[in-house]
Amino acid sequence: MQTSHDTRTIRLPIGSDADLAWVRQQVRQVAAELGFGLVQQTKLVTAVSELARNTLIHGGGGQVEMTMLHQGSAQGLRLAFTDAGPGIRDIELAMTDGYTTGNGLGMGLSGAKRLVQEFSVDSRPGHGTTITVAAWATGLPHPRAEDR
């Protein structure tokens, strides 16, 4: 993931359908404040909707940590979805289009990955899952000299 200067972090619970709507609304609002265009907002909120639902359905609930990112003129948003659920046994398989453990289309994780610029999964069976994504309103920041 890109190095950045974090400025503000907000933690939101994910424990009910009402929380899913609240998370989507908060992410859209912060993305708009950071200068994300309407299409960028829609892509990010679509990814967030899927990841928050997975946190609730497959992880038994958890939280999302939303961090505003600023690096030079680049404005971004990092979201870390964390649960203490059963974890993902086979991350590679779970990232395959069409794979599902539920009743969906199996496009959740792989689809969310395509909608953001940065995506990582940290999961071990029996120890929960953290999926971290980041999106940048002004494109990816340029590495600083000390980051190279």
Side-chain angles (χ1 to χ4, degrees):
M1 295 221 158
Q2 299 287 326
T3 302
S4 60
H5 301 294
D6 300 348
T7 58
R8 190 173 102 204
T9 299
I10 300 168
R11 286 178 188 82
L12 301 170
I14 300 172
S16 69
D17 284 339
D19 291 339
L20 298 178
W22 177 247
V23 166
R24 287 190 302 266
Q25 179 183 13
Q26 293 302 300
V27 169
R28 184 176 294 280
Q29 179 179 332
V30 171
E33 290 170 8
L34 289 172
F36 282 68
L38 185 57
V39 171
Q40 290 173 304
Q41 290 175 41
T42 301
K43 287 180 178 181
L44 181 58
V45 169
T46 300
V48 163
S49 183
E50 182 58 40
L51 297 173
R53 182 160 295 287
N54 282 357
T55 299
L56 179 61
I57 302 298
H58 300 293
Q63 72 172 12
V64 60
E65 188 172 278
M66 179 171 46
T67 305
M68 279 126 288
L69 306 172
H70 307 279
Q71 185 172 328
S73 63
Q75 305 289 320
L77 193 56
R78 178 186 312 122
L79 300 138
F81 296 84
T82 304
D83 68 60
I88 300 171
R89 245 187 259 294
D90 186 337
I91 293 171
E92 187 175 334
L93 180 61
M95 294 297 299
T96 304
D97 285 346
Y99 176 78
T100 182
T101 58
N103 296 325
L105 298 174
M107 300 299 284
L109 291 179
S110 60
K113 181 177 182 179
R114 285 190 290 273
L115 294 171
V116 296
Q117 285 120 345
E118 302 173 24
F119 186 97
S120 68
V121 179
D122 180 19
S123 185
R124 291 182 314 154
H127 291 88
T129 300
T130 298
I131 297 178
T132 305
V133 300
W136 294 88
T138 54
L140 292 172
H142 297 290
R144 296 175 307 205
E146 65 269 19
D147 291 340
R148 290 185 209 161

